[in-house]
Amino acid sequence: MNSETVSDAITDSNEPLLQIRDLEVGFQTQRGLVPAVRGVSLSLYAGQTLAIVGESGSGKTTTAQAIINLLAGTGNVTAGEILFEGRDLTKLSAKEIQDVRGRLIGYVPQDPMSNLNPVWNIGFQVEEAIKANDVAQGKAARARTIEVLQEAGLSDAADRLKQFPHQFSGGMRQRVLIGIGLSARPKLLIADEPTSALDVTVQRQILDHLGTLTRDYGTSVLFITHDLAVVRLVADNVCVMQKGRIVEAATTDEVFDNPQQTYTQELLAAIPGANFEFGR
Ligand SMILES: Nc1ncnc2c1ncn2[C@@H]1O[C@H](COP(=O)(O)OP(=O)(O)O)[C@@H](O)[C@H]1O
Ligand SMILES: [Mg+2]
């Protein structure tokens, strides 16, 4: 817990919890370095939810994965800083970032089916995550597993531990991943399109539940989505991303009331009428 004590000591409540400055991420290919994130800067303050919104391929997932050093394949941070409680995460060793990931920064990945192993039961997978994040060990880990699943909204968690991912609905699988992401009570949760694969009713239930949990725990959230209707439900502030750059950054109300960029206006126009009427 040493790193936590050190980072607590340098926390200033006026400073952002997460501050990304001029971040550049590229993927090495046979044609050379292909840029995916091009000069991204953003700030997220304690207790707030910041959404990154943009069409597929705009660099949202790459930005998220750069924060916790989980870039796929040949992805690499080539410039910029990612300050978390004042520490530049891009400068940490593999061991140091491992201590941050899970415990200080939780992560809900984009695709639950490829992030739950089909051959292991749910209880085993949640328990392993809990142990890996040092939330609990031994017998306590099994008890905590049930709690984590209950908190995530699976009321019959104890009966479901022995079930496999294919026996869970898409919404239930997503609840499992949210439970894992929040299990260590991280200061920041990165949620990458956590409900995009779900139908609108289930999506709404899970977003409500995620909002309740993160409010109760005081967790800051970096919420990634291609859907501005979802932004309105969850976020205080928004960054609109296009082709690796942030083209508009504002409060959620400003983006809906007075979008500045044509691209943002197009994203707003793409919201189906039924979703557009959701209050926050
Ligand atoms: N594993 C990878 N290898 C090579 N290029 C990648 C890889 N992942 C993403 N990219 C590139 O990065 C760009 C941004 O992708 P991504 O961050 O996944 O966008 P989003 O999450 O907004 O859909 C893509 O256009 C793609 O060209
Ligand atoms: Mg993505």
Side-chain angles (χ1 to χ4, degrees):
M1 295 272 167
N2 274 338
S3 59
E4 198 168 34
T5 319
V6 171
S7 59
D8 278 349
I10 56 170
T11 299
D12 177 334
S13 57
N14 294 321
E15 290 291 310
L17 179 67
L18 176 74
Q19 186 173 29
I20 299 182
R21 288 189 191 148
D22 305 319
L23 181 69
E24 310 262 348
V25 183
F27 289 91
Q28 198 63 52
T29 70
Q30 284 170 344
R31 291 174 293 132
L33 191 73
V34 175
V37 174
R38 310 201 277 181
V40 160
S41 297
L42 59 80
S43 295
L44 170 55
Y45 289 84
Q48 297 226 310
T49 294
L50 173 67
I52 300 180
V53 66
E55 66 198 349
S56 178
S58 55
K60 306 182 299 295
T61 295
T62 303
T63 302
Q65 293 181 339
I67 297 169
I68 45 176
N69 195 14
L70 279 185
L71 286 167
T74 59
N76 208 7
V77 172
T78 54
E81 295 181 322
I82 300 173
L83 302 173
F84 180 76
E85 300 185 306
R87 272 202 296 180
D88 186 353
L89 300 182
T90 68
K91 301 257 178 353
L92 299 190
S93 68
K95 169 78 180 74
E96 288 169 327
I97 192 77
Q98 211 174 316
D99 285 343
V100 170
R101 211 188 290 138
R103 285 201 315 110
L104 296 177
I105 304 180
Y107 180 53
V108 180
Q110 184 161 358
D111 175 4
M113 224 27 204
S114 58
N115 286 284
L116 288 170
N117 191 320
V119 304
W120 291 332
N121 70 48
I122 293 286
F124 175 78
Q125 295 188 59
V126 176
E127 195 173 327
E128 286 303 299
I130 283 172
K131 289 177 184 166
N133 291 342
D134 213 12
V135 175
Q137 302 293 345
K139 259 194 174 161
R142 176 47 61 104
R144 188 75 187 105
T145 296
I146 296 173
E147 283 172 15
V148 162
L149 290 173
Q150 284 171 341
E151 285 160 7
L154 295 167
S155 50
D156 51 354
D159 299 330
R160 289 187 168 276
L161 293 177
K162 290 261 180 314
Q163 291 188 330
F164 291 86
H166 74 266
Q167 294 170 291
F168 277 44
S169 68
M172 287 162 61
R173 286 195 290 266
Q174 201 50 265
R175 286 178 186 276
V176 170
L177 290 175
I178 289 170
I180 291 173
L182 287 171
S183 63
R185 302 285 183 272
K187 293 185 176 173
L188 169 65
L189 184 75
I190 300 174
D192 191 354
E193 309 246 14
T195 59
S196 294
L198 306 172
D199 69 60
V200 172
T201 316
V202 178
Q203 173 172 317
R204 186 75 196 254
Q205 289 165 359
I206 292 187
L207 292 177
D208 283 348
H209 192 69
L210 181 63
T212 303
L213 289 178
T214 53
R215 254 192 314 280
D216 287 353
Y217 303 156
T219 320
S220 304
V221 182
L222 184 63
F223 192 101
I224 291 171
T225 179
H226 65 273
D227 185 351
L228 261 176
V230 167
V231 170
R232 192 170 221 190
L233 293 172
V234 301
D236 302 294
N237 297 292
V238 193
C239 291
V240 180
M241 247 182 122
Q242 184 186 27
K243 296 181 183 154
R245 302 181 199 280
I246 291 179
V247 295
E248 183 156 2
T251 69
T252 301
D253 288 341
E254 282 167 355
V255 161
F256 275 82
D257 295 345
N258 191 16
Q260 298 295 306
Q261 299 293 322
T262 313
Y263 180 65
T264 311
Q265 291 162 4
E266 286 166 6
L267 289 178
L268 282 167
I271 299 176
N275 283 350
F276 193 69
E277 294 304 317
F278 280 149
R280 279 208 295 145

